[in-house]
Amino acid sequence: MGRYSGRSSRLILMCMTCRLILMLVLTVGFFVAELVSGYLGNSIALVSDSFNMLSDLISLCVGLSTGRIARRSRRGPRATYGYSRAEAVGALSNAVFLTALCFTIFVEAILRLARPEPIDDAQLVLIVGTLGLAVNLVGLLVFQDWGACCRRRRPPALPPAAAMPRAVPGGVDVFSVCRTYTQHSVSSLNAGDSPNDQKSPEEGSEKKKERKSEALNIRGVLLHVMGDALGSVVVVVAATIFHVLPLGNAPCNWQCYIDPSLTIIMVFIILSSAFPLIKETSIILLQMVPKSVNMQLLSKLARVPGVSSLHEVHVWELAGGKNIATLHIKCQTPTDYQDAAYKIRKVFHEAGIHSVTIQPEYIDHKTSQLLCSSPCISKACDSQLCCSQREPPLAKTNGYTEKNDSCLSELHKDNGSSKNDIEIPIEYPLAEDSIKNVKNCDKSDEKSQLSSTRL
Amino acid sequence: MCGGMAAKGPGGPRWWQNRRARLLCMLALTFLFFVVEVVVSRVTSSLAMLSDSFHMLSDVMALVVALVAVRFAQRTRATKKNTFGWVRAEVMGALVNAVFLTALCFTILLEAIERFTEPHEIQQPLVVIGVGVAGLIINLLGLCLFNHHGVGGHGHSHGHGHSHSGRQHPRSGPKPEQPPGDGEAALHREETSTLVENCSSSNGVSQEKLGDMKDDMADLQVNGNAGHYPLDVEEVEEDSSAQLNMRGVFLHVFGDALGSVIVVVNALLFYGLWNPCPKDGPCFNPCVNNHCMENATLSQTLGRANKSEQESITVAGPCWLLYLDPILCLMMVCILLYTTYPLLRESALILLQTVPKQIDVHSLNSKLRTLEGVEAVHELHIWQLAGSRIIGTAHIKCPDPSTYMMVAKRIKEIFHDEGIHATTIQPEFASVGSESGRGKCEFPCRTQCALKQCCGTGEDSTAKKTEKSSSLSISCSEVVIEFPKTRRTKSESIPSVKLEANTDQNEQFESSL
């Protein structure tokens, strides 16, 4: 937490860890208080409710620790990219944990529907529920964007409208409003703390994207807090009903069903906001192409002069807006390569990808233009390549592209002559159905060795 | 039973080795049992049975997650959405299952603590025993299904004629007929020990591993030659990422089996030793309502005083029986957490893009640097996509393109020897007369992209020398090299760039490439 760098912009960043710790302290305090009062007052409900705070604690700990790991650790021999992804993993863990808890709560609610029971000590439950709700609301407030006040002479990177909750169309979905609100609040909160904010608006928004990973982490924690808050709301509502209309010794009437049904509704609300978080972290963790990148840039890449063909194009996001790409290009000469490399980087830069590694392959007239000249040193490694060379390429617009449009004739030419020259044996018994639908340049057979990016 | 079937030769039931088949089989069984348990609980109106049935439901969910992951992971082709294919889905499935299991342990812990404070008697212990035994049988079947497969079958792809860590140097092509010799076995052992931490201790199945692997490898080699393409792909895909996924499922089933064991043991003991309150006659139960203990002892003493008159007061059976359940549950939670942690750690490390354990980046770096013609190596990144697919990228600085051509193959061989087969090597040619240019990236992006580059951290440990200060979080972009105009022949002008080895992030850089 020692980030007292003296810059006001860093204050916001520091505040985020501070906030997590503050929330942690609050939760621990409330947990202990509830536990003690539960034992003293001999109320099982209090004791069990205090243990629900434990789940909050766990999620806060996960959020804190992954945040620290991501920020503190640098590149090293064990992790060549550093640990900046830790926050995505932490967010996923929190979301899955919350889903599992929702599952158990759902099960309990169903059991309660099967065997309804009244709330015994409605007053005590009401008091405790209100206190819990207060603590959770404080937690929600803690994570809000106070940065707008703290930020002094710095223009906010986001327009202020972005900090307001977006109106959800058709929206009775309270939670999604809360969710978008917190998303925006967290992202705008994080947007302000860049030292280079004055540089350009473009850079400001880039900083915002950079802090996206932190936002993911906080979202995971916020989900838990929000789930807890909703739970407290349900408890308060049910306890109020029992307090106002006490049941006494009468058998259960409609009142007993309020609690479980509200709980089920709450579970669905929580799940509906946990899944988007899971999806977003999956995009990062599964090495998917980030949403901000349009793969149409491949066609731009193919048009760069000097590039005969491209293959093995991979684009992925490390974490927090840092996109990485690697590709292999086939060129005629080294000068071609150097010229092309600059232009290729420009194309990628415009697409928002700033770490690019380009491998040149020089066209050998023995091998076909379209194959990867250097997949690995032997064909046995095929299964360990990230994309199998044995699989057929797809359409023209994917990573496997020909420079000129008259590839059909070349293909036919290649079909005949280069069959024996290909380094990797053609073992390709099945042609996929989709290949037959492919237009122009790709004939199935000999091109099977290309590891193409299938679009 | 399961081991025997799977160990058959190529003519054996291949579907049995199919992960999906096993998962579907177990899924059907578990779901059926869940339904049966729900029905029985309604018939006997036993709440404990109903809540136990939901443990089966959590099993079903874990199996569904694993199945979805397997479905995804079989699509290894690059797509528009995912340029690597979906191979990583299994690792993610493993992580999700591990976290899910941890969360379930947490809830079981809560329930156990609740039981401590408010112990319950078991109603109808016979029914509970019956259903518990049935559940145990199903779980044992599941363990058998996933035990062999999940831990044994892996790493076939490594059997194809080469090995890691420079043990052998097969320069020639693959030798699929190579019999699995000591090297292979040692390789597999090494791989399993590195890729699967504490596997033997957690799963207790290490002994069968090697034997089974050899069988599977023999199958695969025959298949590879015969060109059974789909099956080959299928089995080759079963490497350690599939292993992780299956381990996740295995741990869930294991947890459920432990739960069933506890239920059965508890019910048996309860049935045997518990002295229940008879329906008629006065009786008091000293074990519940602890705060009434004083009243209980009071009435007990009263009872003893009046014992001569009232012989019929029965005291419900030994109280410690009621605490057995929570205690056993606590033990089960500890065991589960202990066995889940390695899986969690391993899948998290893969997802974090860390260097796989068996690769030493320092030695790789030094090997690369000692090559003739290689001046510097930087931006060396090694990471594991999933299983045995390890990906590397590096920027190699060479004096000129012809040197690079000579050395390119050798570089790939070095990577190959380490087990990294998908590499992207970017050559950079030092500009004439720029001695200070060594070690620096020739192709950075523009400077304002600095923070958006992948490596926003200070020290590039792979660079030959470090002129950048470590406080800077940019690895290459702030340093730009003045290119002599002669090297560039293209028509558009490249703005001349200033050399600034400046470490202050806030400075405005004029350079752009």
Side-chain angles (χ1 to χ4, degrees), chain A residues 75 78 111 196 287 289 321 338 342 345 355 358-359 385 454, chain B residues 50 78-79 81 355 383 421 425-426 429 452 454 457 506 513:
Chain A
R75 294 164 64 186
R78 290 260 49 97
L111 291 179
N196 295 329
Q287 312 289 95
V289 173
Q338 283 169 20
Y342 169 65
R345 278 173 207 282
S355 307
I358 304 175
Q359 172 171 297
L385 295 177
R454 188 174 264 241
Chain B
L50 193 61
T79 64
K81 287 201 183 147
V355 176
W383 53 281
H421 304 281
I425 310 286
Q426 173 171 291
F429 306 111
K452 291 201 55 64
C454 69
T457 56
N506 281 334
L513 255 189

PDB file of all heavy atoms in Angstrom, chain A residues 75 78 111 196 287 289 321 338 342 345 355 358-359 385 454, chain B residues 50 78-79 81 355 383 421 425-426 429 452 454 457 506 513:
ATOM      1  N   ARG A  75       7.834  -8.204 -14.163  1.00  0.00           N
ATOM      2  CA  ARG A  75       8.224  -9.326 -14.996  1.00  0.00           C
ATOM      3  C   ARG A  75       9.392 -10.042 -14.359  1.00  0.00           C
ATOM      4  O   ARG A  75      10.265  -9.440 -13.793  1.00  0.00           O
ATOM      5  CB  ARG A  75       8.640  -8.831 -16.368  1.00  0.00           C
ATOM      6  CG  ARG A  75       7.495  -8.220 -17.129  1.00  0.00           C
ATOM      7  CD  ARG A  75       7.996  -7.427 -18.272  1.00  0.00           C
ATOM      8  NE  ARG A  75       8.675  -8.262 -19.229  1.00  0.00           N
ATOM      9  CZ  ARG A  75       9.297  -7.777 -20.270  1.00  0.00           C
ATOM     10  NH1 ARG A  75       9.355  -6.487 -20.449  1.00  0.00           N
ATOM     11  NH2 ARG A  75       9.888  -8.561 -21.114  1.00  0.00           N
ATOM     12  N   ARG A  78       9.720 -16.162 -13.832  1.00  0.00           N
ATOM     13  CA  ARG A  78       8.586 -17.065 -13.726  1.00  0.00           C
ATOM     14  C   ARG A  78       7.375 -16.562 -14.487  1.00  0.00           C
ATOM     15  O   ARG A  78       6.468 -17.309 -14.784  1.00  0.00           O
ATOM     16  CB  ARG A  78       8.208 -17.245 -12.247  1.00  0.00           C
ATOM     17  CG  ARG A  78       9.214 -18.030 -11.493  1.00  0.00           C
ATOM     18  CD  ARG A  78       8.829 -19.468 -11.311  1.00  0.00           C
ATOM     19  NE  ARG A  78       8.392 -20.126 -12.515  1.00  0.00           N
ATOM     20  CZ  ARG A  78       9.164 -20.877 -13.265  1.00  0.00           C
ATOM     21  NH1 ARG A  78      10.419 -21.043 -12.960  1.00  0.00           N
ATOM     22  NH2 ARG A  78       8.691 -21.464 -14.339  1.00  0.00           N
ATOM     23  N   LEU A 111     -35.892 -25.352  -0.141  1.00  0.00           N
ATOM     24  CA  LEU A 111     -36.236 -26.183   1.012  1.00  0.00           C
ATOM     25  C   LEU A 111     -37.212 -25.455   1.921  1.00  0.00           C
ATOM     26  O   LEU A 111     -38.129 -26.058   2.485  1.00  0.00           O
ATOM     27  CB  LEU A 111     -34.974 -26.549   1.793  1.00  0.00           C
ATOM     28  CG  LEU A 111     -34.023 -27.510   1.095  1.00  0.00           C
ATOM     29  CD1 LEU A 111     -32.814 -27.755   1.959  1.00  0.00           C
ATOM     30  CD2 LEU A 111     -34.722 -28.812   0.795  1.00  0.00           C
ATOM     31  N   ASN A 196      -0.369  11.154 -16.777  1.00  0.00           N
ATOM     32  CA  ASN A 196      -0.240  11.739 -18.103  1.00  0.00           C
ATOM     33  C   ASN A 196      -1.556  12.174 -18.650  1.00  0.00           C
ATOM     34  O   ASN A 196      -1.750  12.202 -19.854  1.00  0.00           O
ATOM     35  CB  ASN A 196       0.363  10.706 -19.063  1.00  0.00           C
ATOM     36  CG  ASN A 196       1.767  10.378 -18.633  1.00  0.00           C
ATOM     37  OD1 ASN A 196       2.436  11.231 -18.091  1.00  0.00           O
ATOM     38  ND2 ASN A 196       2.178   9.138 -18.834  1.00  0.00           N
ATOM     39  N   GLN A 287      -7.975 -15.940 -24.046  1.00  0.00           N
ATOM     40  CA  GLN A 287      -7.195 -15.404 -25.160  1.00  0.00           C
ATOM     41  C   GLN A 287      -8.070 -15.020 -26.353  1.00  0.00           C
ATOM     42  O   GLN A 287      -7.642 -15.156 -27.501  1.00  0.00           O
ATOM     43  CB  GLN A 287      -6.145 -16.425 -25.643  1.00  0.00           C
ATOM     44  CG  GLN A 287      -5.319 -17.072 -24.563  1.00  0.00           C
ATOM     45  CD  GLN A 287      -4.351 -16.120 -23.967  1.00  0.00           C
ATOM     46  OE1 GLN A 287      -4.628 -15.497 -22.944  1.00  0.00           O
ATOM     47  NE2 GLN A 287      -3.229 -15.943 -24.590  1.00  0.00           N
ATOM     48  N   VAL A 289     -10.124 -12.586 -28.941  1.00  0.00           N
ATOM     49  CA  VAL A 289      -9.838 -11.287 -29.530  1.00  0.00           C
ATOM     50  C   VAL A 289     -10.609 -10.234 -28.739  1.00  0.00           C
ATOM     51  O   VAL A 289     -11.807 -10.379 -28.543  1.00  0.00           O
ATOM     52  CB  VAL A 289     -10.279 -11.273 -31.007  1.00  0.00           C
ATOM     53  CG1 VAL A 289     -10.144  -9.894 -31.582  1.00  0.00           C
ATOM     54  CG2 VAL A 289      -9.473 -12.265 -31.797  1.00  0.00           C
ATOM     55  N   GLY A 321      -6.702  -3.731 -21.245  1.00  0.00           N
ATOM     56  CA  GLY A 321      -6.533  -2.942 -22.450  1.00  0.00           C
ATOM     57  C   GLY A 321      -5.211  -3.113 -23.155  1.00  0.00           C
ATOM     58  O   GLY A 321      -4.970  -2.480 -24.182  1.00  0.00           O
ATOM     59  N   GLN A 338      11.309  -5.114 -43.849  1.00  0.00           N
ATOM     60  CA  GLN A 338      11.425  -3.973 -42.950  1.00  0.00           C
ATOM     61  C   GLN A 338      10.436  -2.888 -43.292  1.00  0.00           C
ATOM     62  O   GLN A 338       9.843  -2.263 -42.410  1.00  0.00           O
ATOM     63  CB  GLN A 338      12.842  -3.421 -42.994  1.00  0.00           C
ATOM     64  CG  GLN A 338      13.759  -4.296 -42.194  1.00  0.00           C
ATOM     65  CD  GLN A 338      15.196  -3.944 -42.436  1.00  0.00           C
ATOM     66  OE1 GLN A 338      15.498  -2.853 -42.898  1.00  0.00           O
ATOM     67  NE2 GLN A 338      16.074  -4.866 -42.146  1.00  0.00           N
ATOM     68  N   TYR A 342       7.036  -1.854 -40.682  1.00  0.00           N
ATOM     69  CA  TYR A 342       6.617  -0.558 -40.164  1.00  0.00           C
ATOM     70  C   TYR A 342       5.146  -0.312 -40.453  1.00  0.00           C
ATOM     71  O   TYR A 342       4.388   0.125 -39.589  1.00  0.00           O
ATOM     72  CB  TYR A 342       7.496   0.515 -40.801  1.00  0.00           C
ATOM     73  CG  TYR A 342       6.995   1.895 -40.564  1.00  0.00           C
ATOM     74  CD1 TYR A 342       6.954   2.436 -39.283  1.00  0.00           C
ATOM     75  CD2 TYR A 342       6.520   2.672 -41.608  1.00  0.00           C
ATOM     76  CE1 TYR A 342       6.477   3.689 -39.059  1.00  0.00           C
ATOM     77  CE2 TYR A 342       6.041   3.947 -41.385  1.00  0.00           C
ATOM     78  CZ  TYR A 342       6.021   4.436 -40.106  1.00  0.00           C
ATOM     79  OH  TYR A 342       5.530   5.684 -39.894  1.00  0.00           O
ATOM     80  N   ARG A 345       2.871  -2.373 -38.330  1.00  0.00           N
ATOM     81  CA  ARG A 345       2.698  -1.848 -36.984  1.00  0.00           C
ATOM     82  C   ARG A 345       1.770  -0.672 -36.948  1.00  0.00           C
ATOM     83  O   ARG A 345       1.042  -0.475 -35.974  1.00  0.00           O
ATOM     84  CB  ARG A 345       4.046  -1.405 -36.437  1.00  0.00           C
ATOM     85  CG  ARG A 345       4.801  -2.526 -35.894  1.00  0.00           C
ATOM     86  CD  ARG A 345       6.185  -2.114 -35.525  1.00  0.00           C
ATOM     87  NE  ARG A 345       7.003  -3.290 -35.630  1.00  0.00           N
ATOM     88  CZ  ARG A 345       7.014  -4.239 -34.691  1.00  0.00           C
ATOM     89  NH1 ARG A 345       6.323  -4.087 -33.594  1.00  0.00           N
ATOM     90  NH2 ARG A 345       7.726  -5.317 -34.868  1.00  0.00           N
ATOM     91  N   SER A 355       1.652  -3.982 -28.988  1.00  0.00           N
ATOM     92  CA  SER A 355       2.780  -4.904 -28.838  1.00  0.00           C
ATOM     93  C   SER A 355       2.655  -5.932 -29.930  1.00  0.00           C
ATOM     94  O   SER A 355       1.809  -6.823 -29.852  1.00  0.00           O
ATOM     95  CB  SER A 355       2.731  -5.603 -27.488  1.00  0.00           C
ATOM     96  OG  SER A 355       2.635  -4.673 -26.457  1.00  0.00           O
ATOM     97  N   ILE A 358       6.467  -9.613 -35.253  1.00  0.00           N
ATOM     98  CA  ILE A 358       6.256 -10.045 -36.629  1.00  0.00           C
ATOM     99  C   ILE A 358       7.394 -10.977 -37.024  1.00  0.00           C
ATOM    100  O   ILE A 358       8.565 -10.625 -36.906  1.00  0.00           O
ATOM    101  CB  ILE A 358       6.252  -8.829 -37.570  1.00  0.00           C
ATOM    102  CG1 ILE A 358       5.199  -7.841 -37.105  1.00  0.00           C
ATOM    103  CG2 ILE A 358       5.981  -9.274 -38.993  1.00  0.00           C
ATOM    104  CD1 ILE A 358       5.201  -6.582 -37.896  1.00  0.00           C
ATOM    105  N   GLN A 359       7.056 -12.115 -37.507  1.00  0.00           N
ATOM    106  CA  GLN A 359       8.089 -13.050 -37.941  1.00  0.00           C
ATOM    107  C   GLN A 359       8.104 -13.074 -39.457  1.00  0.00           C
ATOM    108  O   GLN A 359       7.102 -13.398 -40.092  1.00  0.00           O
ATOM    109  CB  GLN A 359       7.797 -14.435 -37.399  1.00  0.00           C
ATOM    110  CG  GLN A 359       8.724 -15.490 -37.964  1.00  0.00           C
ATOM    111  CD  GLN A 359       8.563 -16.809 -37.258  1.00  0.00           C
ATOM    112  OE1 GLN A 359       8.823 -16.931 -36.062  1.00  0.00           O
ATOM    113  NE2 GLN A 359       8.109 -17.801 -37.995  1.00  0.00           N
ATOM    114  N   LEU A 385       1.609 -27.089 -31.421  1.00  0.00           N
ATOM    115  CA  LEU A 385       1.505 -25.735 -31.904  1.00  0.00           C
ATOM    116  C   LEU A 385       0.202 -25.161 -31.413  1.00  0.00           C
ATOM    117  O   LEU A 385      -0.744 -25.877 -31.143  1.00  0.00           O
ATOM    118  CB  LEU A 385       1.507 -25.731 -33.434  1.00  0.00           C
ATOM    119  CG  LEU A 385       2.808 -26.214 -34.031  1.00  0.00           C
ATOM    120  CD1 LEU A 385       2.688 -26.252 -35.520  1.00  0.00           C
ATOM    121  CD2 LEU A 385       3.925 -25.294 -33.626  1.00  0.00           C
ATOM    122  N   ARG A 454      -8.927 -18.874 -38.635  1.00  0.00           N
ATOM    123  CA  ARG A 454     -10.186 -19.111 -39.307  1.00  0.00           C
ATOM    124  C   ARG A 454     -11.148 -18.017 -38.924  1.00  0.00           C
ATOM    125  O   ARG A 454     -11.399 -17.789 -37.760  1.00  0.00           O
ATOM    126  CB  ARG A 454     -10.694 -20.461 -38.839  1.00  0.00           C
ATOM    127  CG  ARG A 454     -11.876 -20.961 -39.570  1.00  0.00           C
ATOM    128  CD  ARG A 454     -12.149 -22.345 -39.079  1.00  0.00           C
ATOM    129  NE  ARG A 454     -11.539 -23.300 -39.982  1.00  0.00           N
ATOM    130  CZ  ARG A 454     -12.223 -24.196 -40.658  1.00  0.00           C
ATOM    131  NH1 ARG A 454     -13.491 -24.275 -40.498  1.00  0.00           N
ATOM    132  NH2 ARG A 454     -11.640 -25.045 -41.436  1.00  0.00           N
TER     133      ARG A 454
ATOM    134  N   LEU B  50     -33.309 -34.504   1.462  1.00  0.00           N
ATOM    135  CA  LEU B  50     -33.497 -33.494   0.423  1.00  0.00           C
ATOM    136  C   LEU B  50     -32.254 -32.617   0.309  1.00  0.00           C
ATOM    137  O   LEU B  50     -31.770 -32.330  -0.780  1.00  0.00           O
ATOM    138  CB  LEU B  50     -34.719 -32.650   0.765  1.00  0.00           C
ATOM    139  CG  LEU B  50     -35.248 -31.750  -0.339  1.00  0.00           C
ATOM    140  CD1 LEU B  50     -35.674 -32.602  -1.513  1.00  0.00           C
ATOM    141  CD2 LEU B  50     -36.415 -30.956   0.184  1.00  0.00           C
ATOM    142  N   ALA B  78      -8.483 -21.853 -35.027  1.00  0.00           N
ATOM    143  CA  ALA B  78      -8.637 -20.422 -34.795  1.00  0.00           C
ATOM    144  C   ALA B  78      -9.957 -19.962 -35.382  1.00  0.00           C
ATOM    145  O   ALA B  78     -10.388 -20.430 -36.417  1.00  0.00           O
ATOM    146  CB  ALA B  78      -7.487 -19.690 -35.462  1.00  0.00           C
ATOM    147  N   THR B  79     -10.573 -19.052 -34.714  1.00  0.00           N
ATOM    148  CA  THR B  79     -11.835 -18.515 -35.223  1.00  0.00           C
ATOM    149  C   THR B  79     -11.747 -17.008 -35.199  1.00  0.00           C
ATOM    150  O   THR B  79     -10.773 -16.438 -34.745  1.00  0.00           O
ATOM    151  CB  THR B  79     -13.022 -18.957 -34.356  1.00  0.00           C
ATOM    152  OG1 THR B  79     -12.844 -18.382 -33.067  1.00  0.00           O
ATOM    153  CG2 THR B  79     -13.078 -20.451 -34.227  1.00  0.00           C
ATOM    154  N   LYS B  81     -13.376 -15.113 -33.356  1.00  0.00           N
ATOM    155  CA  LYS B  81     -13.421 -14.580 -32.006  1.00  0.00           C
ATOM    156  C   LYS B  81     -12.186 -14.963 -31.214  1.00  0.00           C
ATOM    157  O   LYS B  81     -11.856 -14.313 -30.243  1.00  0.00           O
ATOM    158  CB  LYS B  81     -14.634 -15.150 -31.287  1.00  0.00           C
ATOM    159  CG  LYS B  81     -15.888 -14.556 -31.763  1.00  0.00           C
ATOM    160  CD  LYS B  81     -16.956 -14.737 -30.712  1.00  0.00           C
ATOM    161  CE  LYS B  81     -18.256 -14.205 -31.216  1.00  0.00           C
ATOM    162  NZ  LYS B  81     -19.372 -14.976 -30.680  1.00  0.00           N
ATOM    163  N   VAL B 355       5.325 -18.648 -16.914  1.00  0.00           N
ATOM    164  CA  VAL B 355       6.186 -19.577 -17.627  1.00  0.00           C
ATOM    165  C   VAL B 355       5.940 -20.976 -17.059  1.00  0.00           C
ATOM    166  O   VAL B 355       5.887 -21.140 -15.856  1.00  0.00           O
ATOM    167  CB  VAL B 355       7.652 -19.165 -17.413  1.00  0.00           C
ATOM    168  CG1 VAL B 355       8.579 -20.159 -18.049  1.00  0.00           C
ATOM    169  CG2 VAL B 355       7.884 -17.785 -17.969  1.00  0.00           C
ATOM    170  N   TRP B 383       4.822 -18.604 -22.609  1.00  0.00           N
ATOM    171  CA  TRP B 383       3.635 -18.882 -21.823  1.00  0.00           C
ATOM    172  C   TRP B 383       2.965 -20.122 -22.351  1.00  0.00           C
ATOM    173  O   TRP B 383       3.213 -20.554 -23.466  1.00  0.00           O
ATOM    174  CB  TRP B 383       2.676 -17.687 -21.822  1.00  0.00           C
ATOM    175  CG  TRP B 383       2.298 -17.168 -23.150  1.00  0.00           C
ATOM    176  CD1 TRP B 383       3.055 -16.362 -23.948  1.00  0.00           C
ATOM    177  CD2 TRP B 383       1.076 -17.379 -23.848  1.00  0.00           C
ATOM    178  NE1 TRP B 383       2.388 -16.067 -25.082  1.00  0.00           N
ATOM    179  CE2 TRP B 383       1.158 -16.675 -25.059  1.00  0.00           C
ATOM    180  CE3 TRP B 383      -0.072 -18.093 -23.572  1.00  0.00           C
ATOM    181  CZ2 TRP B 383       0.133 -16.666 -25.986  1.00  0.00           C
ATOM    182  CZ3 TRP B 383      -1.102 -18.081 -24.496  1.00  0.00           C
ATOM    183  CH2 TRP B 383      -0.980 -17.372 -25.681  1.00  0.00           C
ATOM    184  N   HIS B 421       6.945 -24.914 -29.166  1.00  0.00           N
ATOM    185  CA  HIS B 421       6.876 -25.197 -30.587  1.00  0.00           C
ATOM    186  C   HIS B 421       6.200 -24.128 -31.406  1.00  0.00           C
ATOM    187  O   HIS B 421       6.295 -24.126 -32.614  1.00  0.00           O
ATOM    188  CB  HIS B 421       6.146 -26.525 -30.810  1.00  0.00           C
ATOM    189  CG  HIS B 421       6.798 -27.632 -30.059  1.00  0.00           C
ATOM    190  ND1 HIS B 421       7.938 -28.259 -30.489  1.00  0.00           N
ATOM    191  CD2 HIS B 421       6.494 -28.199 -28.882  1.00  0.00           C
ATOM    192  CE1 HIS B 421       8.287 -29.176 -29.611  1.00  0.00           C
ATOM    193  NE2 HIS B 421       7.434 -29.163 -28.630  1.00  0.00           N
ATOM    194  N   ILE B 425       9.429 -15.282 -33.981  1.00  0.00           N
ATOM    195  CA  ILE B 425      10.721 -14.642 -33.751  1.00  0.00           C
ATOM    196  C   ILE B 425      10.785 -13.423 -34.640  1.00  0.00           C
ATOM    197  O   ILE B 425      10.637 -13.515 -35.862  1.00  0.00           O
ATOM    198  CB  ILE B 425      11.885 -15.581 -34.131  1.00  0.00           C
ATOM    199  CG1 ILE B 425      11.685 -16.929 -33.494  1.00  0.00           C
ATOM    200  CG2 ILE B 425      13.198 -14.970 -33.736  1.00  0.00           C
ATOM    201  CD1 ILE B 425      11.939 -16.965 -32.046  1.00  0.00           C
ATOM    202  N   GLN B 426      11.038 -12.311 -34.034  1.00  0.00           N
ATOM    203  CA  GLN B 426      11.126 -11.082 -34.821  1.00  0.00           C
ATOM    204  C   GLN B 426      12.586 -10.663 -34.879  1.00  0.00           C
ATOM    205  O   GLN B 426      13.202 -10.380 -33.861  1.00  0.00           O
ATOM    206  CB  GLN B 426      10.300 -10.004 -34.147  1.00  0.00           C
ATOM    207  CG  GLN B 426      10.462  -8.662 -34.797  1.00  0.00           C
ATOM    208  CD  GLN B 426       9.471  -7.682 -34.231  1.00  0.00           C
ATOM    209  OE1 GLN B 426       8.285  -7.795 -34.465  1.00  0.00           O
ATOM    210  NE2 GLN B 426       9.986  -6.738 -33.471  1.00  0.00           N
ATOM    211  N   PHE B 429      17.409  -5.627 -36.962  1.00  0.00           N
ATOM    212  CA  PHE B 429      18.762  -5.449 -37.468  1.00  0.00           C
ATOM    213  C   PHE B 429      19.301  -4.157 -36.936  1.00  0.00           C
ATOM    214  O   PHE B 429      18.703  -3.111 -37.075  1.00  0.00           O
ATOM    215  CB  PHE B 429      18.739  -5.466 -38.991  1.00  0.00           C
ATOM    216  CG  PHE B 429      18.067  -6.702 -39.489  1.00  0.00           C
ATOM    217  CD1 PHE B 429      16.847  -6.643 -40.116  1.00  0.00           C
ATOM    218  CD2 PHE B 429      18.624  -7.945 -39.247  1.00  0.00           C
ATOM    219  CE1 PHE B 429      16.217  -7.788 -40.544  1.00  0.00           C
ATOM    220  CE2 PHE B 429      18.001  -9.093 -39.675  1.00  0.00           C
ATOM    221  CZ  PHE B 429      16.784  -9.020 -40.329  1.00  0.00           C
ATOM    222  N   LYS B 452       0.379   1.089 -22.993  1.00  0.00           N
ATOM    223  CA  LYS B 452      -0.530   0.087 -23.485  1.00  0.00           C
ATOM    224  C   LYS B 452       0.204  -1.097 -24.062  1.00  0.00           C
ATOM    225  O   LYS B 452      -0.386  -2.012 -24.587  1.00  0.00           O
ATOM    226  CB  LYS B 452      -1.425   0.693 -24.562  1.00  0.00           C
ATOM    227  CG  LYS B 452      -2.369   1.687 -23.979  1.00  0.00           C
ATOM    228  CD  LYS B 452      -3.540   1.908 -24.862  1.00  0.00           C
ATOM    229  CE  LYS B 452      -4.271   0.664 -25.208  1.00  0.00           C
ATOM    230  NZ  LYS B 452      -4.862   0.013 -24.071  1.00  0.00           N
ATOM    231  N   CYS B 454       2.404  -4.490 -23.896  1.00  0.00           N
ATOM    232  CA  CYS B 454       2.163  -5.623 -23.023  1.00  0.00           C
ATOM    233  C   CYS B 454       3.013  -5.553 -21.809  1.00  0.00           C
ATOM    234  O   CYS B 454       2.641  -5.956 -20.735  1.00  0.00           O
ATOM    235  CB  CYS B 454       2.446  -6.918 -23.755  1.00  0.00           C
ATOM    236  SG  CYS B 454       4.182  -7.165 -24.097  1.00  0.00           S
ATOM    237  N   THR B 457       6.312  -3.061 -17.563  1.00  0.00           N
ATOM    238  CA  THR B 457       7.104  -3.103 -16.341  1.00  0.00           C
ATOM    239  C   THR B 457       8.521  -2.705 -16.647  1.00  0.00           C
ATOM    240  O   THR B 457       8.959  -2.734 -17.779  1.00  0.00           O
ATOM    241  CB  THR B 457       7.109  -4.497 -15.739  1.00  0.00           C
ATOM    242  OG1 THR B 457       7.583  -5.406 -16.716  1.00  0.00           O
ATOM    243  CG2 THR B 457       5.697  -4.874 -15.370  1.00  0.00           C
ATOM    244  N   ASN B 506       7.086  11.315 -18.023  1.00  0.00           N
ATOM    245  CA  ASN B 506       6.265  12.467 -18.335  1.00  0.00           C
ATOM    246  C   ASN B 506       6.803  13.302 -19.459  1.00  0.00           C
ATOM    247  O   ASN B 506       6.160  14.205 -19.924  1.00  0.00           O
ATOM    248  CB  ASN B 506       6.122  13.353 -17.092  1.00  0.00           C
ATOM    249  CG  ASN B 506       5.104  12.773 -16.165  1.00  0.00           C
ATOM    250  OD1 ASN B 506       4.230  12.062 -16.610  1.00  0.00           O
ATOM    251  ND2 ASN B 506       5.216  13.056 -14.893  1.00  0.00           N
ATOM    252  N   LEU B 513       7.752   5.982 -34.715  1.00  0.00           N
ATOM    253  CA  LEU B 513       8.290   5.085 -35.725  1.00  0.00           C
ATOM    254  C   LEU B 513       7.188   4.755 -36.696  1.00  0.00           C
ATOM    255  O   LEU B 513       6.118   4.342 -36.268  1.00  0.00           O
ATOM    256  CB  LEU B 513       8.793   3.799 -35.084  1.00  0.00           C
ATOM    257  CG  LEU B 513      10.311   3.690 -34.990  1.00  0.00           C
ATOM    258  CD1 LEU B 513      10.689   2.321 -34.556  1.00  0.00           C
ATOM    259  CD2 LEU B 513      10.952   4.001 -36.322  1.00  0.00           C
TER     260      LEU B 513
END
